[in-house]
Amino acid sequence: MKRTLLMLCILGVSLVASSQDKSFDLSNYKFPDYKRHELEFNFNSSGNGRKYTTDSPDYLNNGVISKYVSSYYYSQSAAVLNYNYYYLTRKRIDYLHSSISGNYNYSSSTDINDKLKDSSPGFDLILNGSRTLYLNESKFFLEGMSDLSFNQNNSKSFVNNQLQTKYLSTDLDLSVGLGVGIGRMEMVSDLWQAYYILEKLKKQKSLSKELTNDNIYEFAYQASRLKNKRFFDARLREIAELQSLDSLLHQQGLIVNTDIAYFTTLNDYWSYANFQDRQSGRVLKFWISPEYARQFSKTSGNTSILSYKTSLSSNISYNCTKQLNLYWERHFNVLLSNESVLDTTGRNYNQYPMNNFSTNVNFGYGFFPDSRTSISGSVQYSLEKLIVVNPPSDLPKLWINSVYLNFKGYYYLSPQLQITGSFFLNYRDKGYNMTNNLFTQYNLGLRYAIF
């Protein structure tokens, strides 16, 4: 196993270290300072149902035809409020994420004798943030992190409208950490958008002279500054942005005579294209974090269980993302982590391993054939201990090998309409019942924004 993991690491490092094929030197680009707030509200609801009607002769009653009806219905609804805050300078990077969500699951079924109902409202709160301080130009940094998550579920089960079981559960996880490392990930999405727009203008002969790296960088810097401004009127925002970009192109001497083809291309690839988040760089990091976990559950019989776990987690990670050219990127990530348990209380953690080691290796490519399409694929390997709550006494210690294949696609038709799709394949060996497991999952989505 160790030999296999070592070979995967060596293969990944050799691949990410190969030469870069691009039209200009990406290493000289540095993302400008910026501050950005994002607030988003999502609501979704889904459900499915089925009903069966069967005519069956009752031979004990002279063959009289009896009708049997059975049905099943399930629905799920969720509302999520997300807030993200980013602050980037050359010496400091701040990140804050918060999420509040409520969900409600409901199912009902009927058969010959019984009518069953289950309902489960839930609430989730997530809050995490980090601050990274760069100490010198060699990209050596210190990082502080914090993470808080809270979940509550209250489920009820009814049989023939009589309450049978009632179950309340809450989970709380809290951690803080300190990390040290070297390297930096540069945000290059705006750079690729700038390069794409200028290349399109060049191909249609709208530019009056040859492009230089400085032209591309300056256009990308202006694009980033425009995207960080706040507008509450989308129409005024578009007017201000296009005026600013047009003014810059004239100042650079790239545009002298304008026509409808020039304005159409500039407007299309600025206002109606969709450029995915892309990064470039390498980061090697080690961090250590004390963690606290609490689980509480209570049933209708007033039987309650309260469990605690205090532990110390540490990991070392290496992340590398390389932009091969305008259309291709490659990423390679390695994570080695270990959790050392300091204290446990309660049934849910009484068999938790005192040292829990795991590793994860991920390698993949992203393909961006045009300004509206993105396709990505990756292969992932993980090794971890099997953790079972209240296991039988004769259960041996088991290690689980897992291999994942992920494929995702995205197509942007317009600001109102997008198509998404994904396919997931997972193989795991040595499960709890000593059998190999193969899982597949797919998803197809169509998103339409009315306004």
Side-chain angles (χ1 to χ4, degrees), residues 361-412:
V361 181
N362 184 290
F363 175 74
Y365 282 88
F367 178 50
F368 310 90
D370 53 48
S371 63
R372 301 172 184 265
T373 310
S374 66
I375 302 171
S376 63
S378 64
V379 58
Q380 179 178 331
Y381 167 79
S382 69
L383 173 67
E384 59 185 342
K385 275 186 179 180
L386 175 66
I387 299 176
V388 181
V389 178
N390 298 315
S393 57
D394 58 346
L395 181 67
K397 293 183 179 180
L398 298 174
W399 288 88
I400 301 177
N401 292 279
S402 301
V403 177
Y404 306 84
L405 291 175
N406 291 282
F407 299 94
K408 294 182 180 179
Y410 181 93
Y411 186 70
Y412 179 90

Side-chain angles (χ1 to χ4, degrees), residues 94-129:
D94 292 343
Y95 171 71
L96 176 65
H97 168 75
S98 64
S99 174
I100 301 175
S101 62
N103 57 79
Y104 182 80
N105 298 325
Y106 173 81
S107 66
S108 65
S109 62
T110 61
D111 56 21
I112 298 175
N113 299 314
D114 298 315
K115 184 176 182 180
L116 311 176
K117 292 182 180 180
D118 290 282
S119 63
S120 177
F123 171 79
D124 295 277
L125 171 65
I126 297 175
L127 180 64
N128 56 66

Side-chain angles (χ1 to χ4, degrees), residues 31 96 118 165 231 246 315:
F31 197 86
L96 176 65
D118 290 282
T165 59
F231 289 84
D246 177 65
N315 75 42

